[in-house]
Amino acid sequence: MRFSIAFVSWLLPATALATSNSRVLKRANDTDYVLKKGPLDTPWTEKVGTNPWPEYPRPQLQRSDWKNLNGVWRYKNASAGDDKSPPSGVVLPEPVLVPFCLESALSGVMGSHNIWSWYQTTFDVPSSWTAGNRVILNFGAVDYEATVFINGNQTTFHRGGYWSFNVDVTDYLSANGTNELLVFVYDPTDKDNIQIPLGKQTLDPSHIFYTPCSGIWQTVWLESTPVEHVTQLDLSADMNGEVNMTVHTSSNSSTLVQITIYEPHSTDIKATARGRTNGAFQFNVESPKLWSPSSPTLYNITVKVGSDTIQSYIGFRTISHGVINGVNRPLLNGEFIFLFGTLDQGFWPDGIYTPPSREAMIFDLQTLKNVGYNMLRKHIKVETALFYQACDELGLMLIQDMPSLRPSVPVGPALGDCQVKTQPVANAESQAEFDRQLAILIEQHKSYPSIITWVIYNEGWGQAHDRTHPEFQLTDLVRSLDPTRLIDSVTGWFDFGAGDFHDNHHYPDPQCGTPWYSIQSTPYDYKRIAFQGEFGGIGHNVSEDHLWKVQKAINEINGTYEIDANLDVWNERAHFLLSELRGQIEKYDCSGAVWTQTTDVEGEVNGMLTYDRRLNRMDQVQWKRDIQALYDTAAARAANSTTVMQMADTLEGL
């Protein structure tokens, strides 16, 4: 499509790239993309096609005029410094399907050690978009650094593999209607002594560390905005109906904001309010229905600033902690709720970090919800905004980890049973970058009702131990950015007392709030919430049909904490371990637990589901009964203070 005359009038003159761009457009839309044959697929792999993830990607800040740029782009491997000479107007040699990691089969590349890369596509701006508006280019996430060029001009640089970013590209658009977009990506993962937030990615996959994700792995899109437009919405709404909102805009000035809140699943107006941009304001909504796992009520809202109109949503709920009959408990809407969920890695055999589709992503969540899980621990990874929306809608509470730095010590229950490359936090620069990105995690995700807890460090990975413990300062940072949630400062090991949780990891049996503990753990601190951050992890080997067909991964299956002979035994062992957890809830102070894990991942075979999502290991009748028994026992335990007070007195005397 071409611009209207009115639209063209405010663009820069046509560049010298106009002729070559038309040639690029022809190639960019061709059909040489081929789905690769990966080590394993899912039921959704063949359904992806060349129009992946067509949904609007940012549900809490939606606009009507937008254009999805996902699809077949061009790609080539690159070298350090190539960004100094972008290949503008030159058709790149390989197709790549955006938004899938370069290592994935769905990308059509399925490469390895993709340290430097070029991406290329072209786009037209719809002529129907309002004349005089700005054109914003948005990226859901690019791992790890992205330098963006429009028509040969560098427009922005971004660092951090998990965070959304955008740039106003209006002044770089070509008047001939066809624009070239180039993205130069640098992703070192764990190369050499580099220490960056990367979660479980490694260039050399080994058992609990997996295939990395390089490049564009979330949706890329354009949108049309007024000159002054909303750039971010900060939303929180508590159980009493108080809404706290900050509407950030491009001008950073104080402008009138008009808010309309609608009844759930209706166009009937629930409430209206007014405020000013770029500063927090509050208003009350009478008698809201509260958000909870059993009733995940959400309210759609419209936000108007000048000529900019945004669609969003909120959920009314309060997260806190308090002493219930002598025990420090997590509270949802003022009531103790036992938190029980899976360790959710978020890896896929066909898309690595990116699920093949929204349908596939929700399949995992619904499978867990169906047997009674009320929570997930999103394990050292950040997901697409549509994942958090799905948890909001399904009523799955989220414990959200900060993606970790590389382990600074060997990992495993005995400090050394798993051989991985480790790298200490060697300098202030790597710590400062981790701190900066932790703040981005909070700022970009604090408006989702389903997130109830932030995790800073996992098992000491990237946690400095040879100086003042950074988790205390970072806990204060997180609290200042978001005072509405709990903080699990250190999940697992190296706990020196920061945060709201005393969080123990132990496999396969739990040690949750108990008067005994194991190596790497610490004695239960009754002044904080007793939590089992990881346990279970029991494995069940499967036929080759369901395995990640990489020989090294298959060879490492026996590294699983426990292998059970068949599914009957696996379910029997699960029942035994859940019964043991129930006993600790009944007798001691356990307030929540995380079962490892949602799915198998590569060489791990300890999931509720196999890695291909084709086999559900759970005896669902048994699992529903056992999970409900945890909730029932916790409710009964909260009404009985005798045991806990005896234990508290004992610990006080130590």
Side-chain angles (χ1 to χ4, degrees):
M1 289 182 286
R2 300 288 181 180
F3 296 124
S4 66
I5 294 176
F7 193 77
V8 171
S9 64
W10 50 267
L11 297 178
L12 291 179
T15 71
L17 294 172
T19 300
S20 62
N21 277 345
S22 63
R23 179 163 55 88
V24 173
L25 177 63
K26 182 178 179 181
R27 284 295 305 274
N29 291 334
D30 62 15
T31 57
D32 60 342
Y33 163 78
V34 176
L35 170 67
K36 296 283 187 176
K37 177 67 174 176
L40 189 65
D41 64 5
T42 72
W44 303 273
T45 307
E46 298 284 349
K47 300 177 183 179
V48 171
T50 56
N51 183 34
W53 286 89
E55 300 87 359
Y56 189 90
R58 193 181 55 202
Q60 285 199 322
L61 203 166
Q62 296 190 58
R63 288 191 174 91
S64 58
D65 288 339
W66 75 289
K67 181 176 183 177
N68 196 322
L69 297 186
N70 292 346
V72 180
W73 291 31
R74 309 305 299 180
Y75 160 81
K76 78 168 184 177
N77 197 21
S79 301
D82 284 359
D83 56 320
K84 301 298 187 288
S85 301
S88 298
V90 178
V91 178
L92 301 189
E94 298 182 55
V96 59
L97 188 63
V98 171
F100 294 105
C101 313
L102 293 172
E103 293 82 358
S104 71
L106 279 167
S107 74
V109 176
M110 208 166 75
S112 63
H113 289 71
N114 302 102
I115 309 299
W116 295 277
S117 307
W118 277 110
Y119 283 82
Q120 178 189 60
T121 192
T122 56
F123 63 87
D124 296 337
V125 176
S127 59
S128 60
W129 285 3
T130 302
N133 270 14
R134 308 301 289 179
V135 177
I136 310 298
L137 174 64
N138 297 275
F139 292 84
V142 181
D143 197 356
Y144 174 68
E145 293 180 356
T147 307
V148 180
F149 300 83
I150 298 290
N151 295 327
N153 301 288
Q154 181 175 333
T155 62
T156 194
F157 169 83
H158 181 266
R159 175 179 292 123
Y162 299 94
W163 324 120
S164 62
F165 64 98
N166 59 51
V167 57
D168 185 336
V169 298
T170 310
D171 295 337
Y172 302 97
L173 297 176
S174 174
N176 80 334
T178 299
N179 299 277
E180 180 191 53
L181 167 59
L182 284 164
V183 183
F184 182 73
V185 176
Y186 169 58
D187 183 20
T189 310
D190 57 351
K191 184 178 183 291
D192 301 328
N193 64 348
I194 289 170
Q195 181 63 294
I196 61 175
L198 81 175
K200 289 227 172 166
Q201 303 178 73
T202 178
L203 293 172
D204 184 21
S206 177
H207 197 45
I208 67 167
F209 294 88
Y210 316 131
T211 300
C213 172
S214 299
I216 300 171
W217 67 278
Q218 292 188 25
T219 292
V220 184
W221 77 101
L222 296 171
E223 61 185 341
S224 173
T225 73
V227 173
E228 182 177 13
H229 57 273
V230 177
T231 57
Q232 180 178 322
L233 290 177
D234 297 339
L235 305 170
S236 67
D238 69 17
M239 60 183 287
N240 300 313
E242 180 174 285
V243 179
N244 195 313
M245 179 179 295
T246 302
V247 181
H248 303 267
T249 66
S250 54
S251 70
N252 203 33
S253 62
S254 179
T255 306
L256 178 66
V257 179
Q258 296 178 302
I259 309 293
T260 305
I261 300 180
Y262 302 92
E263 296 284 1
H265 311 293
S266 172
T267 57
D268 294 341
I269 295 174
K270 171 71 172 177
T272 60
R274 292 188 174 193
R276 310 292 297 186
T277 59
N278 299 301
F281 61 91
Q282 296 78 35
F283 59 90
N284 278 48
V285 174
E286 291 186 8
S287 304
K289 296 179 180 178
L290 302 186
W291 187 95
S292 70
S294 61
S295 181
T297 304
L298 299 173
Y299 289 81
N300 289 327
I301 69 174
T302 299
V303 179
K304 290 187 177 182
V305 177
S307 57
D308 197 17
T309 300
I310 300 300
Q311 304 301 325
S312 189
Y313 67 87
I314 55 174
F316 290 86
R317 55 83 181 123
T318 297
I319 306 299
S320 61
H321 66 94
V323 176
I324 304 295
N325 286 333
V327 185
N328 205 330
R329 300 290 196 184
L331 307 178
L332 174 64
N333 301 326
E335 298 182 358
F336 168 45
I337 183 168
F338 187 84
L339 310 174
F340 190 61
T342 59
L343 194 72
D344 196 67
Q345 310 272 12
F347 275 76
W348 295 79
D350 44 13
I352 308 300
Y353 252 22
T354 310
S357 65
R358 187 172 184 269
E359 175 190 0
M361 178 187 74
I362 291 177
F363 173 83
D364 279 9
L365 302 176
Q366 189 65 62
T367 297
L368 300 173
K369 184 75 175 179
N370 287 347
V371 295
Y373 282 111
N374 64 13
M375 177 268 287
L376 298 178
R377 178 183 164 203
K378 177 43 62 179
H379 188 39
I380 50 179
K381 184 198 174 191
V382 177
E383 296 287 358
T384 172
L386 293 172
F387 174 91
Y388 298 97
Q389 180 194 37
C391 292
D392 292 341
E393 293 175 341
L394 288 171
L396 280 167
M397 297 179 290
L398 288 172
I399 294 175
Q400 176 63 57
D401 290 12
M402 170 64 187
S404 65
L405 302 171
R406 291 161 66 177
S408 52
V409 294
V411 299
L415 279 180
D417 66 346
C418 183
Q419 298 302 312
V420 297
K421 293 184 290 183
T422 64
Q423 180 66 31
V425 182
N427 54 56
E429 182 180 355
S430 55
Q431 181 69 61
E433 184 60 24
F434 178 85
D435 299 357
R436 183 187 74 88
Q437 294 194 35
L438 173 63
I440 295 174
L441 167 68
I442 309 304
E443 293 286 12
Q444 292 194 357
H445 297 84
K446 63 185 179 182
S447 295
Y448 295 109
S450 54
I451 297 178
I452 63 166
T453 297
W454 304 111
V455 172
I456 299 175
Y457 285 113
N458 173 73
E459 295 182 350
W461 299 2
Q463 178 186 356
H465 309 302
D466 58 352
R467 57 181 182 270
T468 302
H469 302 297
E471 62 271 21
F472 285 92
Q473 179 180 349
L474 293 178
T475 299
D476 291 341
L477 170 66
V478 172
R479 195 90 69 191
S480 70
L481 295 173
D482 178 17
T484 70
R485 291 180 174 86
L486 303 177
I487 302 173
D488 191 349
S489 303
V490 176
T491 177
W493 316 323
F494 304 106
D495 179 5
F496 300 98
D500 299 314
F501 291 84
H502 181 266
D503 184 340
N504 178 27
H505 292 185
H506 194 260
Y507 288 99
D509 53 305
Q511 295 178 350
C512 187
T514 62
W516 67 88
Y517 62 98
S518 301
I519 186 171
Q520 299 172 321
S521 298
T522 55
Y524 164 51
D525 176 6
Y526 72 92
K527 295 178 182 178
R528 293 182 291 160
I529 298 167
F531 193 70
Q532 188 68 49
E534 294 179 25
F535 84 113
I538 57 176
H540 158 252
N541 210 342
V542 289
S543 68
E544 183 179 342
D545 291 344
H546 302 293
L547 287 178
W548 180 249
K549 297 172 189 63
V550 173
Q551 192 59 50
K552 183 180 180 183
I554 293 173
N555 293 343
E556 292 173 339
I557 285 175
N558 283 334
T560 305
Y561 298 105
E562 170 183 306
I563 296 289
D564 299 324
N566 53 54
L567 278 179
D568 287 341
V569 175
W570 184 85
N571 277 288
E572 180 183 346
R573 285 288 292 147
H575 172 68
F576 177 85
L577 292 171
L578 292 176
S579 297
E580 191 172 358
L581 177 66
R582 181 171 57 81
Q584 294 176 12
I585 298 168
E586 182 177 35
K587 189 172 184 181
Y588 306 117
D589 294 359
C590 184
S591 289
V594 176
W595 179 276
T596 301
Q597 58 186 335
T598 302
T599 73
D600 296 351
V601 185
E602 299 190 6
E604 292 190 276
V605 291
N606 51 3
M608 308 285 99
L609 301 164
T610 52
Y611 199 22
D612 62 359
R613 276 70 171 177
R614 289 187 171 93
L615 174 64
N616 185 335
R617 290 188 173 95
M618 292 181 287
D619 177 331
Q620 296 199 51
V621 173
Q622 173 198 304
W623 276 83
K624 285 181 182 179
R625 182 174 60 244
D626 286 345
I627 291 175
Q628 186 59 49
L630 301 179
Y631 302 144
D632 293 343
T633 301
R637 176 70 182 79
N640 179 6
S641 63
T642 303
T643 306
V644 65
M645 293 308 294
Q646 292 174 347
M647 183 175 180
D649 291 342
T650 301
L651 290 172
E652 189 70 50
L654 293 178

